[in-house]
Amino acid sequence: MTDRSTELPSECWELIFKFLDHHRHFEPLSLVSTQFLSMTNHLRRSLIISSRTSPFLPNIFQRFPNLKGIEIRESDEDLDYLLHQISNSGLDLESLTLTSQEQFSLMSLRELGLRMKNMRKLNCSETNCLQDTHLFEIGNSFPLLEDLNISFPQYNSRFDPIGSLDLQRFSGIVTDEGIIHLSMKLKSLLKIDLSGNHFITDKSLQFLSENCLLLREIFIRECDFITQNGIGSVMRRCINLNYISVDGIGIPSIELYFQESFVFAKKLCEINLSHSFISDELLSSIANACLPLKKLTICNCYDFTFVGVSYLLYKYQFLEYLDLEGANFLTDESMIDLSEFLRKLTFINLSLCSKLTSSTFFMLVSNCSSLKDIKMERTNLGVEEFLVDFGVNPCVMSLNLARNESLSDECIKKIAFCCPHLQELKISHCPTITEEGIIEVLRNCGEIRHLEMNRCSGIKCLDIDFELPKLEVVQAEGPVLDDEALVMIATRCRGLMHLNLEGCLNVTTKGVNGVVQCCRRLREINLKWCDNVKVDIIPRMVFSRPSLRKIIPPCRFIPTDKQNKLFLRHGCLVCRG
């Protein structure tokens, strides 16, 4: 057969391939021809290193010579060994993520810095035993860093009964000294996450605001010795600041310096004040600062009222993102008043607002024509306080309506009618929803790609008589599905890629076999606590479905080292159940 891909020059094909939103789409293309294989190899820009890929790193680096970003995740290999492999790969990396890793040596950082001269982004969040000495080396080795995440370091510390630190067992911490060194070395820094570093003080913020003049984004959550004055000084000195995230701040009415600092942050467009005391006076200060505010997060906050939030939203009617989770004073009537100011919203979170009912949901869908994402967990959704005229909103793409105990089939049908282009639906822990409601949603929302229905005890079977070619992710933990429903999903959703069946006691080997045979794109499946699935199916799954990349088997299956290596050679990581 003639290779018709040669009819277009490579440059044209590359332009076409660049429109694909994820490199996973390159895999089927690479099988078309050697030309496509070569082009997709050169177009790939990111790589996740796991236990599945780490044994083959030299070959992988040679295959993908234009990688710009690497993330190390779920790898059993020694971190220093992996960093050495990356340093000697010949790549020109710009981004490296080392989240939740064991402590790495200063030598590894130094070697990496010598080879990766253009590193712009480094993520070391949740790293074990991160210390000032690591920050000294980061500052010296990566002077061009623009984005640094050193949040929530993990320490093997021990406290005595009266709460003091046992220094004998404490291996080191991040202090002001390390942050000050970073501030003097990283002159191009645009973004830094200091969250969870409990021993830094306002002094760190002072030096960052004085030395990192380009700083745009700063995260300082759960930093016990950072005060409102320190936060205020950052807003006053960092003239380019456009995002600030803090939480747990004290009563702002006693800190006028903090309240009055917002007027200096002329470019601030995103504010996160979660889990804080935010009086109406503080909200009024933010409102009167006339900021170019686009995103506001005040979830689970205290001491503010409808008056404060109403005035703020009146002043910022161009707001696009609003998180009011836990604002229990909100009612359906008050949301009608607020909706007049929410015409530009694309995202809203009203979870844990227990007085809100279906009336609020349908009013938002009708009045806020730009809304794409609505989150209303643990509300009174399903109850309708008063009738609302509801219309169709084609913009709504994602709904998180989990843990609404009153959410009924009738309500979910109306929701499906209002949101015909829905792509993601989360209705886990909604016990009154049955298969009747789910089927109607799937029938009306043909664009749906992601469905979560964990622990929905009312769903017993799924008699689907239509195709769902775009559904890629199904989460169905608990006694939701049986073999018949599973085979029905497999038959109708042949593009399925991720399937979570954790705790599905009614699923057996027969149902899992049906999924593996029908779903040719299946990449991940979770069978943990599926006690009626025989463990001998695991090898057959790996060998019969080449697309599989990760299996969480039933708890009885513990693969040997020899089996693990065999599975990895077939490209599949089989975890412990």
Side-chain angles (χ1 to χ4, degrees):
M1 183 179 293
T2 304
D3 185 358
R4 300 185 65 84
S5 66
T6 59
E7 294 179 4
L8 276 178
S10 296
E11 292 80 2
C12 293
W13 282 117
E14 287 188 8
L15 288 173
I16 295 170
F17 293 166
K18 285 179 180 178
F19 281 102
L20 298 174
D21 59 357
H22 196 278
H23 61 70
R24 71 170 182 266
H25 300 300
F26 290 167
E27 188 171 334
L29 288 172
S30 67
L31 302 176
V32 173
S33 66
T34 55
Q35 181 192 15
F36 280 15
L37 173 63
S38 176
M39 283 190 290
T40 53
N41 286 347
H42 282 76
L43 285 173
R44 181 154 180 169
R45 295 293 183 264
S46 62
L47 174 71
I48 295 176
I49 296 177
S50 64
S51 296
R52 186 178 71 245
T53 55
S54 53
F56 315 105
L57 283 183
N59 292 334
I60 291 174
F61 292 150
Q62 187 174 4
R63 178 181 174 183
F64 305 116
N66 295 322
L67 289 174
K68 293 298 180 182
I70 287 180
E71 177 182 355
I72 298 177
R73 183 198 301 173
E74 297 179 352
S75 177
D76 297 328
E77 288 284 358
D78 177 69
L79 182 58
D80 287 329
Y81 168 77
L82 294 178
L83 293 179
H84 177 73
Q85 291 287 318
I86 294 171
S87 298
N88 291 279
S89 63
L91 297 172
D92 183 20
L93 288 186
E94 296 177 358
S95 172
L96 180 63
T97 299
L98 308 173
T99 305
S100 303
Q101 297 296 324
E102 291 299 315
Q103 184 176 6
F104 44 80
S105 69
L106 300 179
M107 185 68 71
S108 296
L109 283 176
R110 194 171 299 124
E111 182 184 22
L112 197 65
L114 289 173
R115 305 293 175 87
M116 305 296 167
K117 298 292 187 179
N118 293 310
M119 188 73 73
R120 296 294 195 275
K121 180 178 180 180
L122 181 62
N123 186 342
C124 302
S125 62
E126 300 181 19
T127 296
N128 193 33
C129 297
L130 192 69
Q131 306 172 32
D132 281 342
T133 51
H134 294 106
L135 303 193
F136 298 155
E137 195 59 54
I138 289 172
N140 294 333
S141 300
F142 307 107
L144 299 181
L145 272 184
E146 298 175 354
D147 184 340
L148 177 61
N149 188 338
I150 53 171
S151 62
F152 299 103
Q154 306 297 302
Y155 298 115
N156 297 319
S157 58
R158 178 171 292 183
F159 293 82
D160 67 22
I162 61 171
S164 62
L165 194 61
D166 181 4
L167 296 177
Q168 297 288 331
R169 299 180 60 84
F170 208 61
S171 56
I173 56 176
V174 170
T175 69
D176 289 334
E177 188 177 355
I179 305 300
I180 291 170
H181 180 84
L182 286 176
S183 75
M184 293 188 292
K185 293 290 185 178
L186 305 180
K187 299 300 183 181
S188 300
L189 195 64
L190 302 177
K191 176 180 178 181
I192 187 166
D193 192 339
L194 303 172
S195 302
N197 284 285
H198 300 291
F199 300 95
I200 62 174
T201 70
D202 290 348
K203 189 176 181 180
S204 290
L205 300 187
Q206 175 190 340
F207 276 83
L208 282 170
S209 59
E210 289 176 355
N211 296 325
C212 301
L213 301 180
L214 301 178
L215 194 62
R216 296 178 185 171
E217 301 182 34
I218 185 165
F219 300 75
I220 37 182
R221 296 171 292 122
E222 297 186 33
C223 296
D224 300 334
F225 295 106
I226 297 291
T227 70
Q228 294 176 44
N229 283 340
I231 299 166
S233 68
V234 170
M235 289 192 285
R236 290 170 182 252
R237 292 172 179 167
C238 295
I239 60 173
N240 293 303
L241 193 69
N242 59 35
Y243 183 96
I244 187 165
S245 176
V246 299
D247 65 5
I249 61 175
I251 301 174
S253 58
I254 64 173
E255 296 287 1
L256 291 178
Y257 179 83
F258 174 65
Q259 288 190 58
E260 295 170 355
S261 297
F262 285 95
V263 74
F264 293 88
K266 297 297 185 182
K267 296 183 179 180
L268 197 59
C269 56
E270 298 183 36
I271 300 175
N272 184 339
L273 301 174
S274 302
H275 304 94
S276 299
F277 288 91
I278 53 167
S279 65
D280 287 346
E281 290 78 13
L282 174 61
L283 296 181
S284 178
S285 297
I286 296 174
N288 293 328
C290 298
L291 305 171
L293 196 62
K294 296 294 184 183
K295 294 186 178 182
L296 176 66
T297 300
I298 48 175
C299 69
N300 299 304
C301 290
Y302 316 94
D303 276 9
F304 72 109
T305 69
F306 175 77
V307 173
V309 75
S310 178
Y311 180 64
L312 186 144
L313 294 177
Y314 165 72
K315 299 288 281 189
Y316 293 112
Q317 297 188 33
F318 43 79
L319 208 62
E320 297 175 358
Y321 181 107
L322 179 62
D323 189 338
L324 291 171
E325 180 176 318
N328 280 318
F329 56 79
L330 292 176
T331 64
D332 289 332
E333 291 81 1
S334 64
M335 285 304 302
I336 290 176
D337 294 335
L338 293 182
S339 68
E340 297 298 319
F341 314 136
L342 307 179
R343 303 292 185 181
K344 300 294 184 181
L345 271 191
T346 60
F347 170 92
I348 189 167
N349 180 8
L350 297 171
S351 298
L352 296 174
C353 297
S354 56
K355 297 175 184 176
L356 300 183
T357 72
S358 300
S359 300
T360 288
F361 178 88
F362 292 118
M363 178 271 300
L364 287 172
V365 170
S366 297
N367 294 352
C368 305
S369 58
S370 299
L371 262 181
K372 295 180 180 179
D373 193 341
I374 303 174
K375 187 175 180 182
M376 288 183 67
E377 287 191 66
R378 293 182 183 271
T379 63
N380 212 11
L381 195 62
V383 174
E384 198 162 353
E385 285 295 313
F386 48 83
L387 292 177
V388 176
D389 292 332
F390 56 88
V392 174
N393 188 333
C395 288
V396 177
M397 301 291 181
S398 177
L399 296 176
N400 186 345
L401 311 177
R403 300 181 185 275
N404 281 291
E405 295 188 356
S406 300
L407 186 59
S408 63
D409 286 340
E410 193 62 34
C411 184
I412 203 73
K413 289 177 185 178
K414 291 180 182 178
I415 290 172
F417 174 80
C418 293
C419 310
H421 293 166
L422 195 63
Q423 295 184 6
E424 181 180 43
L425 177 63
K426 298 179 181 180
I427 49 170
S428 297
H429 300 272
C430 294
T432 54
I433 292 180
T434 71
E435 55 270 17
E436 179 185 345
I438 292 293
I439 291 173
E440 197 63 26
V441 169
L442 296 176
R443 190 188 308 277
N444 288 335
C445 304
E447 299 291 317
I448 199 158
R449 299 173 183 273
H450 184 118
L451 176 63
E452 290 187 18
M453 50 183 182
N454 300 319
R455 309 288 172 182
C456 288
S457 55
I459 299 174
K460 303 301 181 185
C461 63
L462 286 176
D463 188 12
I464 304 172
D465 58 358
F466 49 90
E467 298 297 318
L468 293 165
K470 296 187 177 182
L471 189 58
E472 296 179 343
V473 179
V474 172
Q475 300 262 2
E477 292 183 10
V480 177
L481 303 180
D482 56 16
D483 281 346
E484 185 179 352
L486 196 56
V487 171
M488 185 66 67
I489 289 175
T491 304
R492 301 301 183 186
C493 314
R494 294 183 179 271
L496 196 65
M497 299 177 69
H498 302 269
L499 179 61
N500 183 2
L501 299 173
E502 182 174 324
C504 285
L505 299 178
N506 297 323
V507 167
T508 71
T509 306
K510 177 184 176 183
V512 176
N513 246 335
V515 172
V516 173
Q517 289 175 10
C518 294
C519 301
R520 297 186 176 185
R521 298 174 61 197
L522 189 66
R523 296 180 70 86
E524 295 186 16
I525 185 169
N526 183 357
L527 301 173
K528 188 174 183 178
W529 304 115
C530 293
D531 295 341
N532 291 314
V533 176
K534 295 180 180 180
V535 295
D536 60 4
I537 193 179
I538 302 301
R540 296 205 304 272
M541 292 169 64
V542 174
F543 302 141
S544 64
R545 180 51 58 219
S547 62
L548 270 172
R549 295 293 177 263
K550 183 177 180 180
I551 299 174
I552 300 178
C555 297
R556 304 182 310 280
F557 184 79
I558 302 177
T560 64
D561 289 342
K562 186 176 180 180
Q563 285 176 319
N564 264 332
K565 291 178 181 178
L566 181 60
F567 297 151
L568 287 173
R569 281 203 295 272
H570 283 76
C572 186
L573 174 65
V574 179
C575 307
R576 291 180 178 270

